[in-house]
Amino acid sequence: MTTVADPAGAGVPTADGKKRAGFRRSSSAAPGGAPRGRRRHIPPLLAIAPFYALFAVFGAFPVVFSLYLSFQDWDGIGDMRFVGLKQYGWLFQDSVFWHSVLNTFEIWFLSTVPMLFLALVLAFLLHSQVRFGGAYRVAYFIPNITSMVAMTVVFGSVFAQAGLANSAFRVIGLDGVGWLSSEWGIKSSISMMIIWRWIGYNALIFLAGLQAIPTEHFEAARVDGANSWQTLFRVILPQLKPVVLFAAVTSTINGLQIFTESQVLFQSTDVGTTGGPGQEGMTVVLYLWQKAFKDHQFGYGAAMGWLLFAIIAVFTVINWRLVSGSDRDDRPGAIRSLLRRKGARNGR
């Protein structure tokens, strides 16, 4: 029961000569019935608790267990045998693993660099006043939400020896290309599938960055007589740096985890575990899948996954440094100079 005493009566002598003790409100509820203290955090914590429970079971636990598994020799059924760092030592001596690393980086370069450039061009086109701009945006984003397994089957028929691509070459008098049988043909076909999937997504990311640039910057450049290339390199790209950084980092992370394209494209060759002729389409994740789920070397696959994580982390930091540059103000001095000159002209 809540006990309340009048603070004004505290210290007033009573009939027996003793002073009345002052009491404070001891209720745990605020006026209006709202809970006080830590109790008010309980309802929102209970509301988000299911997410953290699912993340702990299906997210955090597999990550921690894979790290533990990378130090074990386990076939998925029998007892685990602790081998320490031997799995990582075997990886450094595995020529197929390093061949898959080289393939992954080559495919990443052939796909990511052209894809980001073409996405930037598409963003400029969408940013201009074109009719049916919303329809174009939806059309460019559809490949990103399309099943990659289904589209890989389609691309496999296009790049076949008697497929649509070689048929188009023969029409114009050129010889067919061994898209699925030669080294650079395999890498080029996988790269084109990646470009097709992600170009629209990154174009919309760049478009959002373009729409966030204040229009007075373009007006100031136009007043000072800057042409389109000067506006691009002196006004637009410096302010798009955070967006370009985001696109480069996410493209690096996705590009170094290529799996579906190689696995489905060469599914007729040993259930898609070889990466095609000469293993030229063998990527790190495909090799990881082969060792873990075909050869039942789960500890070796886990070690490969953590080494891939380290490679992606290092490569992401390199991309971050190259794109972000030094810690300078987001508004370059060129833009501030343009705006100052515009203000001076308006004040004349």
Side-chain angles (χ1 to χ4, degrees):
M1 183 177 65
T2 302
T3 304
V4 181
D6 183 8
V12 178
T14 58
D16 56 0
K18 297 180 180 181
K19 291 185 177 182
R20 181 183 299 168
F23 295 94
R24 295 182 178 179
R25 184 183 298 270
S26 60
S27 174
S28 60
R36 280 184 173 180
R38 298 180 179 177
R39 289 188 180 181
R40 69 176 184 272
H41 300 299
I42 294 179
L45 289 176
L46 290 177
I48 62 176
F51 165 77
Y52 286 103
L54 292 174
F55 175 77
V57 174
F58 298 103
F61 172 75
V63 171
V64 176
F65 182 73
S66 67
L67 180 61
Y68 169 78
L69 191 60
S70 66
F71 302 106
Q72 310 289 329
D73 183 14
W74 188 46
D75 61 358
I77 299 177
D79 296 333
M80 295 185 182
R81 183 171 62 90
F82 180 77
V83 294
L85 296 176
K86 290 183 179 179
Q87 306 269 27
Y88 296 92
W90 296 334
L91 268 179
F92 283 101
Q93 300 174 7
D94 191 342
S95 60
V96 178
F97 171 73
W98 292 111
H99 181 64
S100 68
V101 171
L102 179 61
N103 290 338
T104 303
F105 276 107
E106 289 175 346
I107 295 172
W108 171 86
F109 182 80
L110 290 174
S111 60
T112 301
V113 176
M115 181 263 295
L116 291 179
F117 175 76
L118 294 175
L120 189 59
V121 173
L122 284 179
F124 283 128
L125 295 177
L126 292 174
H127 188 59
S128 60
Q129 299 297 328
V130 295
R131 298 180 61 184
F132 310 111
Y136 285 122
R137 297 174 193 178
V138 173
Y140 289 141
F141 190 71
I142 285 178
N144 189 254
I145 60 176
T146 304
S147 171
M148 200 60 216
V149 174
M151 293 314 303
T152 302
V153 174
V154 174
F155 273 97
S157 62
V158 171
F159 292 126
Q161 193 63 32
L164 182 62
N166 283 339
S167 298
F169 284 155
R170 294 188 185 99
V171 168
I172 60 177
L174 298 177
D175 295 332
V177 178
W179 296 104
L180 304 181
S181 58
S182 61
E183 176 184 357
W184 291 106
I186 292 172
K187 292 180 173 63
S188 299
S189 59
I190 296 175
S191 300
M192 281 187 276
M193 285 190 287
I194 297 172
I195 292 173
W196 178 86
R197 182 182 184 184
W198 291 103
I199 185 173
Y201 170 84
N202 286 284
L204 294 182
I205 295 295
F206 288 141
L207 178 62
L210 286 172
Q211 292 176 340
I213 298 177
T215 56
E216 55 265 22
H217 294 179
F218 298 100
E219 296 173 359
R222 191 179 303 111
V223 168
D224 278 10
N227 57 33
S228 299
W229 288 106
Q230 290 173 332
T231 303
L232 173 63
F233 289 102
R234 300 292 297 277
V235 178
I236 297 176
L237 288 182
Q239 296 189 84
L240 275 183
K241 184 180 292 186
V243 181
V244 174
L245 176 62
F246 171 80
V249 170
T250 54
S251 298
T252 298
I253 295 173
N254 292 327
L256 296 181
Q257 300 182 75
I258 305 167
F259 170 73
T260 306
E261 294 83 353
S262 297
Q263 202 272 339
V264 179
L265 195 62
F266 302 103
Q267 59 182 338
S268 60
T269 57
D270 196 13
V271 201
T273 60
T274 62
Q279 296 183 324
E280 297 301 335
M282 175 72 76
T283 62
V284 177
V285 179
L286 180 60
Y287 188 52
L288 185 157
W289 181 81
Q290 176 190 12
K291 285 297 181 183
F293 297 100
K294 184 174 180 293
D295 298 339
H296 304 291
Q297 300 178 17
F298 289 97
Y300 194 64
M304 197 181 306
W306 278 97
L307 188 56
L308 175 62
F309 168 76
I311 293 174
I312 292 176
V314 171
F315 211 64
T316 300
V317 171
I318 294 174
N319 267 349
W320 186 287
R321 294 293 185 183
L322 290 176
V323 177
S324 64
S326 58
D327 295 328
R328 293 178 294 181
D329 187 12
D330 290 337
R331 296 176 178 265
I335 299 177
R336 293 197 298 269
S337 176
L338 289 172
L339 294 176
R340 282 197 299 268
R341 287 197 293 268
K342 179 185 177 183
R345 291 180 181 179
N346 293 336
R348 290 177 183 175

